[in-house]
Amino acid sequence: MMDKVIIFDTTLRDGEQAAGGTLNVQEKLEIARQLEQLGVDIIEAGTPITSPGDLEAVSLIAKEVRAPIICGLAHADPGAVDRAWEAVKEARHPRIHVFLSSSDIHLVHQLKKSRQEILEMACNMVSRAKQYLDDVEFSPMDASRSEPQYIYQILKAVIDAGATTVNIPDTVGYAMPDEFGDLIEGIFKNVPNIDRAVVSVHCHNDLGMAVANSLESVRKGARQIECTINGIGERAGNASLEEIVMALRIRQDFYNLTTNIDTTQIYRTSRLVSELTGFPVQPNKAVVGANAFRHESGIHQDGVIKMPITYEIMDPKTVGIPSSTLVLGKVSGRHAFRERLAELGYSLAEEELNRAFNAFKELADKKRDVTDKDIESLVAEGHRTVSEIYHLDRVQVTCGDRGIPTAAIRLITPDGEVMADAALGTGPVDAVYRAINRLVAVPNELTEFTVKSVTEGIDAIGEVLIRIESDGITYTGRGADTDIIVASAKAYTNALNRLLAAKKARQA
Ligand code: KIV
Ligand code: ZN
């Protein structure tokens, strides 16, 4: 029997901590449902003490997503532990994860506490969580920069207090693989009751070592890896789930370990997380990047045509990358469209399917071939309009090198009221944003604007990604259309809707 590595996904907690990656409650639920499809063992759904929105999201996920363990994070504080329990108590399999710094750097400069005080706080909080449930995880934060002897001492004490998983974080991504492996090995050798807990690792990517450190740890006996989809997370991010899972699978000969992950769901999960967080996946990203299975050199292409294994170590189908080169067009019917959606892994409710089909027909009128990437973009655009507050109804722009760029905008409010206004700008996008600002008066600053085409060709859909900042918080907006000015208007409306929804949630 091969040993299993438990996959603990923290996309919705550490991943969401990435600057500009805020998700609303519905988006978190949608990702959690997809993580369940992917087969992750544990979903860390948030830190319930941080905001009412996070409490609501974790509670909802706990109620709705039944297969995985649902975990709530808490710093070592009674209120935070109680709030984490409140959030996960309705889960079929609840977990509370308590963390507290253990490095002298943090103890001296941040917490101003002695090692003994920290040890007591850690045990007290584990015991407090233990009053509520059995499954309790403890993390000594900044473990990789802590004195190993002190880590052994804390781990022994928290396991005695009831921790069933002990997680070793490389919080600031400082460790090197050999060194981190030695720490894990040292834990197995020096913590006398370590057989009563699962040893987990949680690695950050500041020096690009997160995946290497995580994999080295399982060689030394760790059996839980904390990771995120697309490697998103604080600063340079966390260990990437897809890279870890595929490394364990493709190099099973080396690791002799398995996971419960359905790898065919990886691509879809990666796309969804990228879409909802607004973080694009870099083209050369291992496993899920757009170029991960593209061969440019003639020699490589020749080899792959003769036998894929010559230059491909994994079959793109194993990670769920659609292999079909079939394209849909103007004459394709609803049935073919629905089938294509199913092949891409979407099962849309009737209303959503109708909306997507109408959008497809509109697109097919403008564009000869509708590809899988176009379809994914249409579905994503449909998603964005589901929970919107203001709906962008019309965009009319005049621009050119002689006239003054002018935009007229019509929006529909949640009560169905139609609002219209116009504005001048330095360019068409500026004019559009000014016109929208006249209707939705929310102070904000545009901090990022990017446009890219979904496919090749002059008739391609353009996808606009923007970030706006308001009261120190960054919100992402996306929009897609064959007209990039319309896509820009959609992206801005999307960002404003997210800003307004977050404000409302904070006031609740
Ligand atoms: O990086 C870290 O130390 C964390 C802990 C809360 C586990 O995210
Ligand atoms: Zn972290």
Side-chain angles (χ1 to χ4, degrees):
M1 271 284 281
M2 242 182 299
D3 249 11
K4 275 228 163 100
V5 174
I6 299 165
I7 298 296
F8 176 115
D9 181 277
T10 183
T11 306
L12 297 176
R13 198 280 296 169
D14 219 330
E16 207 214 6
Q17 274 173 232
T22 30
L23 296 162
N24 64 35
V25 174
Q26 285 311 318
E27 289 166 338
K28 278 190 144 196
L29 179 62
E30 192 175 343
I31 292 177
R33 287 206 166 110
Q34 180 55 33
L35 291 172
E36 184 178 36
Q37 292 292 313
L38 178 66
V40 304
D41 301 286
I42 301 155
I43 296 176
E44 186 163 62
T47 315
I49 192 73
T50 53
S51 70
D54 229 31
L55 172 66
E56 187 190 344
V58 181
S59 314
L60 189 65
I61 291 167
K63 277 183 220 137
E64 302 273 325
V65 181
R66 307 301 282 172
I69 293 174
I70 306 299
C71 176
L73 181 69
H75 64 288
D77 168 83
V81 172
D82 296 352
R83 187 67 65 86
W85 169 243
E86 195 186 327
V88 297
K89 67 180 177 214
E90 289 193 51
R92 181 180 288 159
H93 313 287
R95 173 179 293 189
I96 295 177
H97 177 186
V98 180
F99 72 96
L100 181 60
S101 289
S102 56
S103 68
D104 285 342
I105 301 175
H106 284 203
L107 266 56
V108 171
H109 299 292
Q110 193 181 13
L111 301 181
K112 311 214 184 306
K113 294 220 183 293
S114 69
R115 287 187 180 181
Q116 188 53 34
E117 284 173 300
I118 293 289
L119 191 81
E120 280 163 22
M121 278 168 76
C123 291
N124 288 344
M125 288 310 112
V126 167
S127 306
R128 189 173 187 101
K130 206 68 189 176
Q131 289 174 350
Y132 293 125
L133 78 178
D134 226 31
D135 190 345
V136 176
E137 172 169 333
F138 178 78
S139 292
M141 190 156 81
D142 205 17
S144 54
R145 293 192 300 168
S146 306
E147 163 82 51
Q149 295 299 330
Y150 182 51
I151 293 285
Y152 307 151
Q153 207 188 338
I154 294 193
L155 296 186
K156 180 185 177 304
V158 294
I159 294 170
D160 279 340
T164 43
T165 299
V166 286
N167 177 47
I168 313 304
D170 180 22
T171 303
V172 290
Y174 178 75
M176 292 294 123
D178 280 357
E179 193 184 20
F180 200 60
D182 288 349
L183 175 62
I184 303 302
E185 198 168 39
I187 287 169
F188 279 104
K189 284 192 181 137
N190 294 291
V191 179
N193 53 1
I194 199 68
D195 57 320
R196 286 172 24 210
V198 172
V199 175
S200 166
V201 290
H202 174 112
C203 299
H204 278 270
N205 209 28
D206 300 66
L207 293 172
M209 300 289 163
V211 169
N213 284 340
S214 307
L215 290 171
E216 186 56 21
S217 313
V218 293
R219 292 189 67 211
K220 303 294 181 176
R223 284 295 175 266
Q224 174 178 294
I225 297 181
E226 304 198 353
C227 45
T228 61
I229 300 297
N230 301 335
I232 63 170
E234 275 281 0
R235 308 177 310 280
N238 288 59
S240 136
L241 181 146
E242 56 279 3
E243 292 177 25
I244 285 166
V245 167
M246 290 316 289
L248 291 175
R249 176 166 169 162
I250 298 296
R251 298 307 313 274
Q252 210 171 67
D253 59 321
F254 183 73
Y255 289 104
N256 202 27
L257 291 165
T258 56
T259 69
N260 282 329
I261 298 296
D262 172 0
T263 60
T264 63
Q265 292 290 330
I266 284 180
Y267 176 72
R268 180 143 168 51
T269 317
S270 161
R271 294 283 303 170
L272 180 71
V273 169
S274 168
E275 160 61 30
L276 295 181
T277 56
F279 293 131
V281 175
Q282 76 201 53
N284 60 325
K285 168 85 174 59
V287 184
V288 288
N291 291 348
F293 295 95
R294 266 182 152 174
H295 306 274
E296 197 67 21
S297 124
I299 294 178
H300 290 207
Q301 288 174 347
D302 174 64
V304 170
I305 290 165
K306 287 178 176 148
M307 181 61 83
I309 197 178
T310 49
Y311 292 93
E312 264 179 12
I313 58 162
M314 50 192 147
D315 182 341
K317 281 200 233 80
T318 351
V319 290
I321 295 182
S323 60
S324 155
T325 48
L326 271 180
V327 285
L328 299 179
K330 223 174 158 145
V331 291
S332 308
R334 200 184 156 79
H335 184 69
F337 182 68
R338 190 201 285 263
E339 290 230 315
R340 198 77 213 99
L341 281 177
E343 277 162 29
L344 292 172
Y346 295 105
S347 70
L348 303 188
E350 207 52 31
E351 200 185 323
E352 228 182 320
L353 177 69
N354 288 342
R355 190 175 35 229
F357 185 64
N358 290 340
F360 157 71
K361 279 294 186 188
E362 250 179 58
L363 179 64
D365 265 341
K366 296 182 193 158
K367 191 172 185 288
R368 203 169 59 93
D369 295 333
V370 179
T371 66
D372 290 347
K373 288 214 168 98
D374 291 320
I375 295 174
E376 282 173 358
S377 180
L378 291 181
V379 175
E381 185 58 41
H383 262 116
R384 285 191 283 267
T385 55
V386 173
S387 53
E388 57 187 4
I389 297 172
Y390 288 95
H391 175 69
L392 181 72
D393 186 41
R394 279 195 198 167
V395 185
Q396 182 74 47
V397 173
T398 50
C399 61
D401 63 352
R402 298 293 136 119
I404 301 172
T406 313
I409 293 289
R410 208 160 86 169
L411 294 179
I412 301 181
T413 68
D415 327 317
E417 192 195 333
V418 177
M419 305 157 69
D421 212 328
L424 306 175
T426 52
V429 175
D430 185 45
V432 163
Y433 285 22
R434 283 175 191 273
I436 295 176
N437 282 344
R438 289 171 70 91
L439 295 168
V440 186
V442 187
N444 72 81
E445 197 192 328
L446 182 71
T447 54
E448 196 181 319
F449 179 99
T450 48
V451 56
K452 72 172 175 56
S453 69
V454 170
T455 54
E456 293 91 13
I458 198 74
D459 56 357
I461 293 182
E463 262 183 2
V464 172
L465 167 79
I466 67 158
R467 291 190 209 278
I468 59 174
E469 209 179 290
S470 175
D471 294 333
I473 304 176
T474 301
Y475 302 88
T476 305
R478 287 187 134 182
D481 201 281
T482 47
D483 181 323
I484 57 167
I485 304 301
V486 176
S488 308
K490 286 180 177 173
Y492 190 43
T493 314
N494 179 237
L496 286 175
N497 278 330
R498 295 172 70 127
L499 186 164
L500 291 168
K503 260 198 167 156
K504 205 166 135 198
R506 277 199 299 276
Q507 279 155 7

